Amino acid sequence: MLADFFDSMVQLITRTSTDLPPDVRAAMGTALATEAPATRAGQALTIIAQNIDQAESCEGPICQDTGMPTFEVRVPVGANQMWMKEQIRGAIAEATKRGKLRPNSVDSITGENSGNNLGPGTPIVHFEQWEKNEIEVKLILKGGGCENTNAQYALPVDLDHLGRADRNLDGVRRCILHAVWKAQGKGCSPGAVGVCIGGDRTSGYLHAKEQLFRTLDDTNADPRLAAVEDAVMEAANQLTVGPMGFGGKTSLIGCKIGALNRLPASFFVSVAYDCWAFRRLGVTLDASSGAIASWLYRDGDRRSAPMLTPEQLAAGFPRTGREIRLQAPITDEQIRSLKVGDVVLVSGRMYTGRDAVHAHLMKHEPPVDLRGAVLYHCGPVVVKEADGGWKVTAAGPTTSIREEPYQADILERYGVRVVIGKGGMGAKTLAGLKQSGGVYLNGVGGAAQFYARCIDRVTGVSLLEFGTPEAMWHLDVTDFPAIVTMDAHGNSLHKEIESASGDLLHAVGG
Ligand code: SF4
């Protein structure tokens, strides 16, 4: 058997989770260069750049959501695919144990986390044979926040702000722009889209995701599709959705389109949205040993060029002097003084809570006193230390809109004052914030390393039976930066930007 195959897979998984490929770094560097540092977009992109460098230097996950591992494997004729699949599964479990992947595989019936990223459908491994006498393995780690913003259109269709999308390439262009606009900041923009024209509903999504294995800077071999890709990039970056949906010049860093034949009655456009934390790498392996012969998407084994200079990295969060300090527990007066657009630095105790905690709190009293508390929508990567304590190694915000059915009730019942997450929340929460006196703060999605460094210590954990991502972690933090995007006076930056970008969508895309 291939003696080095297992180690090669652990290396591939580790590097994919911790080190962004050069083409994505270049696109994010360009985005950073176009924004003034003291703007919301500039601050968000600087945090992202710091996060990318921090992840690489400590070999920690770039984002706490290490995504659905999807492998595309090409093997010589006669290779034992069953054995390789078992080795890949073993490597996934090993990388999870080492804290390079968060336990992310959840039983859909019971809600139980398998703890090792293994389970029905996890990981996804596709094999294909080829004539070469080498093995190629490509891996993409695509998280839940961006996966939830995928979109599929059945043409012809009427689209908000864009009118009718017909069964032609102009209709395809409209659908892609619509998907980018709909995503706003929920998928941690600026993101990239893989698109499939045609196929059926299943093959369309698969082919769309496969487009994400192209590099961001390549040119489509089909000039008709290349023209659509260019048109989408130009229009999407005029929408001013910006990083995290805060407003700004870069909303999309890549558009990659493929096409499959379709049934005469069907015309699907499937859009796979990936976030800025676009983790995709690959290797070729020696077919006799399984050792890594070369890396794909990167310059061999050389260290990635940093995003920032050492001075910029050491400078930390780029402050303007207008930041507002909040110390938890937070008073009603402090909350009511905050307004949309304020940048705040939170210190003191915060509690994590995401899907399972919110559902639990609808039926049970909270395990801690939440009056005046900060509730952080986050599923961190946490490792147990030798002394029995816990250490958070990655802790960015998760997509908040999933908690929309619960949030207003939790604010009212338990006196939570501050909710931190990403992507914004809806009308029910906005009304709840006004009624109960609370604010919603938008962190920088995916900045898991940056935010982990704002955590001084883990002081406790409740509801650990939900698994580490879903448990309620008690964290002491210092100067945790975020932006007020929904205030206690009924204002929402998300609503404003969605509306303004909708008008622009009509102007540039219709
Ligand atoms: S960067 Fe955002 S969308 Fe991407 S995996 Fe992380 S949390 Fe999810």
Side-chain angles (χ1 to χ4, degrees), residues 52-392:
I52 294 169
D53 285 347
Q54 287 163 341
E56 190 273 339
S57 65
C58 72
E59 214 181 56
I62 295 162
C63 177
Q64 76 288 338
D65 184 353
T66 53
M68 173 64 82
T70 304
F71 293 84
E72 299 288 338
V73 188
R74 298 207 267 190
V75 295
V77 176
N80 186 336
Q81 298 178 10
M82 286 181 294
W83 180 87
M84 283 185 197
K85 191 168 181 180
E86 270 319 295
Q87 296 296 303
I88 289 173
R89 287 169 58 82
I92 284 284
E94 178 61 26
T96 309
K97 200 161 87 191
R98 295 184 191 180
K100 308 303 177 189
L101 297 177
R102 183 179 71 180
N104 250 4
S105 178
V106 175
D107 184 308
S108 294
I109 314 292
T110 66
E112 196 179 328
N113 192 315
S114 69
N116 59 3
N117 270 311
L118 302 180
T122 325
I124 297 168
V125 188
H126 298 137
F127 284 97
E128 197 184 322
Q129 287 189 338
W130 65 355
E131 296 292 347
K132 293 185 187 177
N133 190 31
E134 64 182 16
I135 302 163
E136 181 188 85
V137 187
K138 292 180 176 175
L139 168 63
I140 193 164
L141 300 172
K142 186 171 180 296
C146 52
E147 186 68 13
N148 291 350
T149 61
N150 287 358
Q152 193 169 58
Y153 300 86
L155 274 56
V157 62
D158 278 318
L159 301 169
D160 304 334
H161 303 291
L162 287 166
R164 197 178 62 247
D166 292 316
R167 290 184 162 192
N168 54 33
L169 287 181
D170 185 63
V172 171
R173 179 189 64 85
R174 287 170 190 248
C175 290
I176 303 169
L177 283 174
H178 187 262
V180 173
W181 171 72
K182 278 295 271 183
Q184 292 286 310
K186 295 183 189 71
C188 291
S189 54
V193 286
V195 180
C196 174
I197 307 169
D200 65 11
R201 286 204 184 270
T202 312
S203 64
Y205 262 136
L206 180 61
H207 198 62
K209 193 169 182 180
E210 284 168 356
Q211 301 312 304
L212 297 172
F213 283 105
R214 286 173 51 196
T215 56
L216 294 178
D217 51 6
D218 74 354
T219 302
N220 201 313
D222 183 330
R224 297 164 302 176
L225 299 184
V228 181
E229 290 176 1
D230 290 346
V232 167
M233 289 299 292
E234 193 180 333
N237 285 319
Q238 292 177 52
L239 296 183
T240 69
V241 170
M244 295 300 129
F246 292 164
K249 299 189 180 108
T250 310
S251 305
L252 197 65
I253 55 173
C255 174
K256 303 292 155 188
I257 306 174
L260 295 176
N261 279 15
R262 59 182 174 82
L263 295 172
S266 305
F267 194 123
F268 297 114
V269 176
S270 307
V271 181
Y273 187 100
D274 209 341
C275 51
W276 68 260
F278 189 151
R279 291 150 292 178
R280 168 254 289 134
L281 280 179
V283 285
T284 60
L285 306 177
D286 182 297
S288 57
S289 69
I292 294 175
S294 64
W295 283 90
L296 306 174
Y297 304 112
R298 54 176 295 130
D299 184 10
D301 222 6
R302 283 178 42 183
R303 261 191 98 167
S304 300
M307 299 288 294
L308 299 170
T309 64
E311 295 74 30
Q312 287 171 315
L313 192 57
F317 176 63
R319 300 184 191 203
T320 62
R322 297 190 300 273
E323 289 78 19
I324 298 168
R325 288 183 182 280
L326 286 182
Q327 178 74 38
I330 297 167
T331 64
D332 186 53
E333 194 187 358
Q334 276 179 304
I335 290 298
R336 302 230 178 242
S337 70
L338 294 171
K339 55 187 188 318
V340 155
D342 286 342
V343 177
V344 298
L345 299 170
V346 183
S347 296
R349 178 71 45 85
M350 65 169 63
Y351 300 99
T352 66
R354 44 178 288 165
D355 309 71
V357 165
H358 282 73
H360 179 83
L361 292 181
M362 297 303 283
K363 294 192 187 142
H364 306 89
E365 288 296 307
V368 295
D369 183 358
L370 289 176
R371 276 171 299 179
V374 179
L375 183 62
Y376 183 23
H377 294 164
C378 172
V381 180
V382 189
V383 291
K384 194 143 205 176
E385 300 202 282
D387 63 2
W390 297 96
K391 185 168 191 289
V392 173

